[in-house]
Structure formats: structure tokens, C-alpha cells
Amino acid sequence: MFLGIDIGTSAVKVICTDGTAIFATATAGLTVQSPYPGWSEQAPDAWWLATCAALAEIAKTVPLSGVTGIGLSGQMHGAVLLDSARQVLRPAILWNDSRSTEDCTRLQNVLPNIGSIAGVLPLPGFTAPKLMWVAREEPEVHARIAHILLPKDYIGLRLHGELATDRSDAAGTLWLDQTAREWSEAVAAASDTDIGWLPRLADGHEVVGQVMASAAAETGLPSGIPVVAGGGDAATGAVSLGATEPGRGFISLGTSGQLFVAGDAYHPNPSKYVHAFAHTVPGRWYQMAAMLNGARPIAWLAGQLEIDAGEVVALAESADASRVPTFLPYLTGERSPHGDPHIRAGFFGLEDSTNRAGLCRAVIEAVAFTFADAVDSFGDTIADLPHLAAIGGGSKSPFLLQLIANATGQRIGRTVGSDAGPALGAARLAACGLEVLNLSDLGQQPDVADWFEPAHNEDLIDRLEGYRALYRALKPLNQQPK
């Protein structure tokens, strides 16, 4: 049995599998702290406590003593700063944090070709500008840094005691030279980062350590079992779908949203904020549009209306589609395709007759529209894909997937076990690391449970154009951080 541990933004998810069948799943919730506008932080210890809680839940269904290997996955870009004793120096700065906007400008000015080296232009979500902000605003913290890890790799440290990451997660820092698949001394030097602080690099299926006795005592896991490097959540989600082979693509509907296409060569497209990153398996790269808001606006509205996300979707389905306001979903700015950390969310076109159902429909449509923008940003790259698979919590909604199919013009396939996603991919990497699977097996695609064929809807396309026009109109009003 193999465990996949996925350190998400809203929850830690753990699955137990033999590499194909899923025996048990568990989640433990997380919260995000935002002490100032534009800030997004989490305490790394909270990830560890949630991991332990999820493992305890798994143990109620399957004995952890039978686990033979572990793979890790997690939210990308988060800056976990450690001192020489490997103690956390400050809360982790997350992927959707926008405080380092001016540092991005400074980094691009110092290193104009960074988009070609790192696969994307600097944005505040990435890790390197966060280090520049720490150097500028928290010099006493910066002076004590001895090690930098990404979220999943901090859990790796707690499990096996080593400082290691995989190349797909490293790709999201801006410090990785995507062509060489090694740390870039030029980017590190330009971003107030000592390259010696960065962890060793591995491919996702490589064993990087064994569960320590102390971790075994805390978690109930067997001491000494191997842990593989795993991958960033985009890459492990790809592994769960067999998207390790060229020409395969998917959409991910988690807190953030992703449109991912795998390839066997490095093809940067920085002007459209399409990420060109190293995959977690050797000899593979991918292109990805990353939307900071994904299905998050649905959860946000659910919280405001004091209902659950399923009720938001149900209300949206009941709405009068002819009288739906427009919603911009940019709660934390946007990455692809706008590269705009300043834009914010809002409703436009509210009427006296607008009800909760109309608000819900507007938010659900906005999620679909972000994917339409993402498809456009890829240009012809996506034209030859037979379909896009769908994973993530938002993929549970047939209504949302049909809207995405209609708005993008793409055939969408919801796979069996689509909500397992990155955790399943991490477990499959563990199975590969222990030679139960081989690298070619990772390209096996799961069965599609449901197809969503695109249907032309003139009213929906008109609302999409209105949505795009609203962004353009509001952009000049949102050029300064709040």
C-alpha cells in the first residue's frame, strides 16, 4: 500500500492505494491567515498537525502498518524559511500572497531574460520575489535564513529529516533553470537568495528519505519506509491522469484553477503568463495557465451566504439565466492570462430583482470564464487535444463542467476518482519509486466516467464578452495595491 499526502491550501488530503485502486481517503482542514491586505500565510506546523490528523483518520479504515511507501504533493510557491537548527522563522508566505509586487518589477529589471530562464515572468505568487520582500521588510528574519523549503517538502522534512524537493515544485519558485532542470545561480543572486539555502533536487519518483522513528511515533506510520520526492500539485495531478505523455491535458478545479498540457520539450510563453515548467518525471515539461481563483469564489460566496458550496451550485442551476449579473472572480488578483496582482473581485449589473440564485449563477459562470481566458492564452497549442480531463473538488459539479465546456469549446472528461487528484498522483510516484510501477505506467489514463460536450450558447458567449470588457474597464482603477 502507498500513501499520497497532498498539502492543499484549505485542507490536507491523504489517500491509500495500491497504485490503482483507492482503499481509503481522509482530509483535515486548514485555514489561511491574512493579517494585512494582500497577505496570505499559513503556519507550517498546522500542515503537520493536519497531516497527523488525516493519517489517524486513514488508520480507522486501513492499518498504517501495511504502508510500504509515501509520496508527497502540495500547493506550490509557498516560502518556508528555516534557521540553521531547521526551525521555522516565520509563517509561510503562500502562492496567493501579493505583497511582493514591487519586488517582481525589480527582479525583471535586474534580469530581463528571466522569463526564458524560469519559464514565466515574475509575479508575487512565486517564491523568489517573496525572498526579496523578506530581505527588504524583515531583514532580521532574512539574516537568519539557512534553508528554504516548499510546503510539501516541509512535511518531508518532518517525516524523513532531509532537505529535498522535486523539479516540478522547484520550477514554481523562479529559481529553477527550466532547460537545465537545475537551480539558477543568476536568478538566486538577483533575488536576495543564497543558492546554498535551496534543497537538493530530485525527480518525483526518487526516494529522498525514510520515515524517522520520531515521525513514526507521531503518525503511526512504520519507521524506515521510503518517501519519494513527489511533486507540486499541478504535476502530481497530471500523474493521476496519465498526463505525463506529450499532448495530454486537463483542468484542475481546486482553490486555484489550472489548465495543463504536457510535453517533451521546454516551450516558454511568458508574454501570456502561461507557465512553462519542468514536470516531476524526467524528460518532460508542461505548459500551464494558472488562475489564482479557481473554484475558490464558490467557497467564498458560500461563506457569505452561510450555505455550503453544493447549495451555491444548486441555486445557480435554478437562476433565470437572462437576468444574471456579471462577477469578476479576482479575490486575490490574477495570474494567467493577465499577470495582474491588483485587480479585485466584484459584481456588476445588480438589479432590485437580483436574488441569491442570480449571485450564485454569476459566480459559477465566472469560474467557467476564467478557463475560457486560459484556453485563449494557449493559442493553437490546445487545438489538437482530443479532450481535457477534469480533476479537483469543483469537478464534482456537472453543471460547472458543462459551463466550462460551453465557454471554452473544449470537450471535458470527468475521470473515475477525479477528486483524488494530486494525492493519487503522489502515491503513484511512490509506487514507481519502489518499482511496483515503472515510468511508462505513469502515462496510463484513468477511465472517463462522464463526458461534457461543448454546446454553443450565444447568450453565454455574450456574457463572456461582457465579462472580458468589465475587466478591461476596471483595470485602470486597480493599479495600486489597496
Side-chain angles (χ1 to χ4, degrees), residues 207-229:
V207 174
V208 292
Q210 290 78 36
V211 172
M212 300 181 295
S214 57
E218 286 189 75
T219 61
L221 291 166
S223 179
I225 63 170
V227 182
V228 303

Side-chain angles (χ1 to χ4, degrees), residues 276-291:
F277 284 170
H279 211 317
T280 192
V281 293
R284 296 288 184 266
W285 285 259
Y286 64 88
Q287 289 183 294
M288 180 179 72
M291 290 73 74

Side-chain angles (χ1 to χ4, degrees), residues 62-128:
V62 295
L64 295 181
S65 60
V67 173
T68 53
I70 299 171
L72 302 174
S73 171
Q75 51 173 298
M76 298 174 68
H77 318 306
V80 182
L81 310 181
L82 308 178
D83 65 16
S84 58
R86 301 185 177 184
Q87 297 301 304
V88 174
L89 287 168
R90 67 169 330 282
I93 306 175
L94 302 190
W95 56 273
N96 55 353
D97 187 287
S98 61
R99 75 185 75 176
S100 60
T101 301
E102 67 179 79
D103 304 289
C104 294
T105 302
R106 185 158 58 96
L107 179 55
Q108 189 164 348
N109 289 339
V110 171
L111 205 62
N113 65 331
I114 188 171
S116 298
I117 299 170
V120 69
L121 296 175
L123 287 170
F126 298 123
T127 324

Side-chain angles (χ1 to χ4, degrees), residues 166-168 181 202-206 230-231 235-236 238-239 243-245 262-263 277-286 425 429 432 438-440 442-443:
D166 83 291
R167 289 177 170 84
S168 71
R181 299 170 75 96
D203 288 318
H205 66 294
E206 286 186 55
T236 51
V239 172
T244 57
E245 296 305 309
F277 284 170
H279 211 317
T280 192
V281 293
R284 296 288 184 266
W285 285 259
Y286 64 88
L429 287 168
C432 185
N438 58 43
L439 284 170
S440 63
L442 298 182

Side-chain angles (χ1 to χ4, degrees), residues 339-356:
D340 188 346
H342 301 309
I343 195 67
R344 288 296 180 264
F347 288 97
F348 176 76
L350 297 172
E351 301 178 303
D352 186 60
S353 60
T354 302
N355 56 17
R356 300 196 330 163

Side-chain angles (χ1 to χ4, degrees), residues 173-198:
T173 65
L174 295 184
W175 291 313
L176 192 76
D177 181 320
Q178 305 293 347
T179 302
R181 299 170 75 96
E182 298 293 342
W183 296 123
S184 166
E185 292 189 10
V187 180
S191 58
D192 301 316
T193 302
D194 184 332
I195 200 167
W197 296 344
L198 305 181

Side-chain angles (χ1 to χ4, degrees), residues 301 305 312 315-327 347-350 353-365:
L301 184 62
L305 299 180
V312 171
L315 282 167
E317 291 187 73
S318 71
D320 179 356
S322 67
R323 303 191 70 176
V324 174
T326 299
F327 179 67
F347 288 97
F348 176 76
L350 297 172
S353 60
T354 302
N355 56 17
R356 300 196 330 163
L359 297 177
C360 293
R361 174 75 180 233
V363 168
I364 297 288
E365 285 189 354

